Amino acid sequence: MTSSPMARMLRLCAVAGLAISAHWAVPAWAAGAMATGGLTSQPIGHYDFCKTHPSECNIRPANLAPAKLTDALWRKLINVTARVNAAVKPMSDLDNYGKDEVWTYPDNGFGDCEDYVLEKRRQLYRMGMSLADLLITVVRKPDGEGHSVLTVRTDKGDYILDNLTDEVKAWDETGYRYLKRQAIDNTGRWVSIRDGQQVLVGSVQ
């Protein structure tokens, strides 16, 4: 059957539309990487977590290169964020465990920000990502409250997985003040984030 010029144009527009949709499966603009400083104090919650899970806090990843940001990885980040955010019900450590600053996996179905981070990190690590690219990060929200998120290092920049939103955002588009995060070469060490302010959450020297 012979196609008219108009029909051919409509088909081309449809194909172009699909290509644009596929492109938007990954972020249109990549964030730059955070600038980190030297070693800094470890949050007290992570210190206690390491006492309970020592094998998780002395890992030195062999590959320190950032993850390649592909369509598949982007979908994985979105899916893990949404799944964990939906599965874990928010609850303070005081209500959940009777004390503050308990960093643990939310295996009982409840948790606060650090617990969401740990679970997302665990799931992505099991999917084959390097722990050098999955970094627990301490921030300050615009209201001044301390908060924790998961930084994912990619070759297109650093992105944030957050329990307060299902949207995966470039780190510099969250509105947070970044204070410290895990070192890429040692899961038990922490580094400062340049231009960060004094940490408001408990930490050990």
Side-chain angles (χ1 to χ4, degrees):
M1 184 173 67
T2 304
S3 298
S4 69
M6 180 60 70
R8 286 195 297 271
M9 181 177 294
L10 289 174
R11 282 199 298 273
L12 287 172
C13 289
V15 170
L18 289 174
I20 291 171
S21 297
H23 171 75
W24 282 92
V26 296
W29 292 280
M34 293 178 202
T36 56
L39 292 176
T40 190
S41 56
Q42 180 184 24
I44 186 65
H46 190 247
Y47 174 80
D48 290 338
F49 173 82
C50 288
K51 289 196 298 185
T52 307
H53 304 83
S55 64
E56 296 194 27
C57 296
N58 58 9
I59 299 171
R60 293 172 172 79
N63 182 9
L64 300 183
K68 184 175 177 58
L69 186 58
T70 61
D71 286 359
L73 176 58
W74 186 249
R75 288 193 297 270
K76 188 182 298 183
L77 298 181
I78 291 172
N79 290 338
V80 167
T81 297
R83 182 169 65 244
V84 174
N85 286 355
V88 180
K89 305 305 178 186
M91 181 178 289
S92 71
D93 289 332
L94 190 60
D95 290 337
N96 205 357
Y97 302 107
K99 59 181 180 178
D100 290 322
E101 288 299 312
V102 179
W103 291 29
T104 190
Y105 294 111
D107 293 333
N108 65 356
F110 298 92
D112 66 358
C113 57
E114 296 90 3
D115 308 332
Y116 286 87
V117 169
L118 287 167
E119 181 58 29
K120 291 169 187 174
R121 180 173 173 267
R122 175 166 69 175
Q123 291 193 19
L124 289 167
Y125 178 58
R126 288 175 174 174
M127 292 176 182
M129 291 197 69
S130 169
L131 290 177
D133 301 326
L134 302 170
L135 306 172
I136 308 169
T137 305
V138 172
V139 304
R140 181 185 293 154
K141 298 193 296 182
D143 62 6
E145 183 181 359
H147 184 48
S148 292
V149 294
L150 183 66
T151 297
V152 178
R153 295 173 63 239
T154 81
D155 61 344
K156 302 301 184 184
D158 294 343
Y159 290 88
I160 300 301
L161 277 56
D162 194 344
N163 66 297
L164 299 181
T165 177
D166 286 348
E167 185 179 356
V168 177
K169 296 182 179 181
W171 73 275
D172 56 352
E173 295 179 353
T174 62
Y176 295 148
R177 184 75 167 176
Y178 289 80
L179 304 173
K180 60 173 70 177
R181 75 181 190 187
Q182 286 177 296
I184 67 172
D185 59 349
N186 189 320
T187 57
R189 293 186 175 182
W190 286 67
V191 294
S192 62
I193 299 172
R194 293 179 188 171
D195 298 325
Q197 300 176 8
Q198 191 67 25
V199 179
L200 294 182
V201 298
S203 60
V204 294
Q205 298 302 320

